[in-house]
């Protein structure tokens, strides 16, 4: 009996040992396979070609891990497409920058007649037309009022005159004295027309297109009691036997001077002085003098340009303040 019970107690040992040994072998094999798979996955994920995306065969080897790497590598490509869209705003901006240029196109037809007139001028020197707001061959609409012109002097600083057929131009069309000396044909609704010379400026409330005529000039179109009448007006290039004169402003010297042209047939667009081997354009004031603040060109040769582009060269004149000096030259009639 004793041996039988001993066998029963000792018999399970071989069974437990047998059961444990077969389990350890398969587990080691599985762990080894998993380790190999992990190594393969890491090699595939970090190899140089992985950023460019795995091939179909690589995906089969690396499985889901390879797919994740491929999608991560593809993600940076999206920002590379965004910069390609950047030029779109610049193209939009270029359209905006060309818009103002197209807005200035309607002014071209008005300048065309001036270019033809300049081509037919007798002067040997012409440039592109330099007309401002008041252009040749254009008819403007507005109203006429009247004022007491007194001795005929005004903002243009021409001085007293016996000519009563004068007018003051509204500030916008006065254009910093560019209208000074212009001859204008004024026509009323009745058909009556007169010619006046611009010698003054009519500030607000004078509106664009408005002319403030001397009382003598207004009376030729309507009774003064009318006060305000509708008119049309246009620029003239009249016949005249007068020639252009030059006057230096009071206080002028070789260190500072103001220069004015008087008696020009057509509106004056630019006045330049000779300095060295070139021409220097002087700045025009609202009182119709061209200033040389540093004295450059004071007493030197002058060049005058009218709104048709014709240029007249005036020999050097002495700086004699407030003295009218004749030049003997005149712009061509158009």
């Amino acid at each position: 009996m004793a041996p039988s019970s001993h066998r029963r107690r000792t018999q399970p040992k071989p069974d437990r040992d047998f059961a444990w040994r077969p389990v350890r072998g398969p587990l080691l094999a599985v762990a080894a396979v998993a380790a190999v798979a992990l190594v393969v996955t890491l090699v595939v994920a970090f190899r140089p070609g992985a950023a460019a995306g795995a091939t179909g065969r690589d995906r089969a080897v690396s499985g889901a891990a390879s797919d994740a790497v491929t999608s991560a590598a593809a993600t940076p490509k999206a920002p590379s497409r965004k910069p390609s869209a950047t030029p779109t705003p610049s193209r939009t901006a270029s359209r905006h920058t060309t818009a103002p240029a197209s807005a200035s196109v309607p002014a071209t037809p008005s300048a065309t007649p001036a270019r033809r007139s300049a081509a037919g001028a007798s002067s040997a020197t012409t440039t592109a037309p330099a007309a401002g707001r008041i252009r040749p061959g254009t008819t403007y609409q507005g109203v006429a009022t009247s004022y007491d012109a007194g001795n005929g002097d005004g903002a243009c600083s021409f001085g007293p005159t016996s000519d009563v057929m004068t007018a003051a131009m509204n500030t916008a069309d006065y254009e910093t004295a560019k209208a000074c000396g212009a001859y204008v044909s004024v026509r009323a609704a009745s058909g009556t027309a007169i010619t006046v010379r611009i010698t003054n400026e009519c500030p607000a409330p004078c509106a664009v297109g408005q002319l403030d005529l001397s009382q003598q000039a207004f009376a030729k179109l309507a009774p003064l009691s009318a006060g305000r009448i509708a008119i049309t007006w246009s620029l003239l290039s009249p016949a005249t036997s007068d020639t252009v004169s030059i006057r230096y402003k009071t206080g002028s010297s070789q260190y500072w001077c103001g220069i004015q042209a008087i008696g020009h047939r057509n509106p004056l667009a630019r006045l330049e002085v000779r300095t060295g081997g070139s021409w220097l354009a002087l700045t025009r004031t609202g009182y119709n003098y061209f200033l040389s603040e540093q004295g450059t060109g004071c007493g030197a040769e002058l060049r005058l340009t009218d709104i048709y582009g014709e240029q007249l060269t005036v020999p050097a004149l002495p700086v004699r303040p407030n003295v009218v000096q004749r030049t003997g030259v005149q712009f061509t009639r158009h």
Side-chain angles (χ1 to χ4, degrees):
M1 294 296 292
S4 176
S5 62
H6 176 75
R7 285 194 296 269
R8 246 186 251 115
R9 285 195 298 270
T10 59
Q11 186 66 33
K13 284 185 179 180
D15 294 340
R16 285 196 297 269
D17 293 341
F18 177 80
W20 178 80
R21 288 191 186 97
V23 170
R24 181 176 57 183
L27 286 177
L28 290 174
V30 171
V33 171
V36 171
L38 178 60
V39 171
V40 171
T41 300
L42 291 176
V43 170
V44 171
F46 292 100
R47 66 190 178 88
T55 64
R57 185 172 56 189
D58 292 333
R59 291 193 187 95
V61 174
S62 61
S66 179
D67 291 338
V69 172
T70 304
S71 61
T75 303
K77 293 183 181 179
S80 67
R81 286 192 290 270
K82 290 181 180 178
S84 66
T86 304
T88 302
S90 65
R91 288 194 294 271
T92 303
S94 67
R95 287 195 292 270
H96 288 304
T97 56
T98 55
S102 63
S104 63
V105 172
T108 303
S110 299
T112 302
R115 191 174 291 110
R116 293 196 187 103
S117 299
S122 58
S123 175
T125 306
T126 58
T127 64
R133 289 181 58 87
I134 304 177
R135 296 170 176 262
T138 302
T139 299
Y140 300 88
Q141 294 183 340
V143 296
T145 51
S146 66
Y147 80 109
D148 183 1
N151 63 6
D153 197 6
C156 293
S157 305
F158 288 140
T161 177
S162 57
D163 181 9
V164 297
M165 299 299 288
T166 59
M169 181 65 75
N170 68 83
T171 297
D173 294 323
Y174 183 76
E175 200 174 2
T176 315
K178 199 167 187 176
C180 285
Y183 288 87
V184 175
S185 174
V186 185
R187 184 177 298 274
S190 62
T192 305
I194 60 173
T195 298
V196 295
R197 186 169 68 106
I198 304 301
T199 61
N200 210 344
E201 177 184 8
C202 183
C206 274
V208 175
Q210 182 172 346
L211 292 176
D212 204 21
L213 305 176
S214 67
Q215 291 179 344
Q216 295 89 336
F218 188 95
K220 292 184 178 295
L221 299 177
L224 291 178
S225 58
R228 183 184 183 94
I229 61 173
I231 59 169
T232 58
W233 55 273
S234 57
L235 186 67
L236 287 180
S237 180
T240 178
S241 58
D242 200 4
T243 59
V244 179
S245 296
I246 298 296
R247 176 165 56 192
Y248 279 93
K249 195 178 187 308
T250 300
S252 294
S253 68
Q254 60 178 321
Y255 306 107
W256 178 94
C257 66
I259 310 172
Q260 181 187 56
I262 306 172
H264 40 85
R265 187 199 308 268
N266 307 318
L268 189 65
R270 188 165 57 251
L271 187 149
E272 300 164 281
V273 294
R274 172 74 77 175
T275 170
S278 60
W279 292 100
L280 173 66
L282 300 185
T283 301
R284 193 174 202 163
T285 67
Y287 54 88
N288 197 33
Y289 272 90
F290 294 82
L291 299 185
S292 176
E293 300 283 2
Q294 306 302 321
T296 305
C298 295
E301 191 176 18
L302 304 177
R303 186 166 70 178
L304 312 178
T305 305
D306 69 3
I307 65 170
Y308 295 93
E310 182 180 0
Q311 294 181 328
L312 301 176
T313 301
V314 178
L317 297 170
V319 180
R320 300 170 59 191
N322 205 28
V323 173
V324 176
Q325 303 183 63
R326 295 187 177 276
T327 66
V329 296
Q330 182 59 274
F331 291 113
T332 303
R333 185 182 183 186
H334 295 272

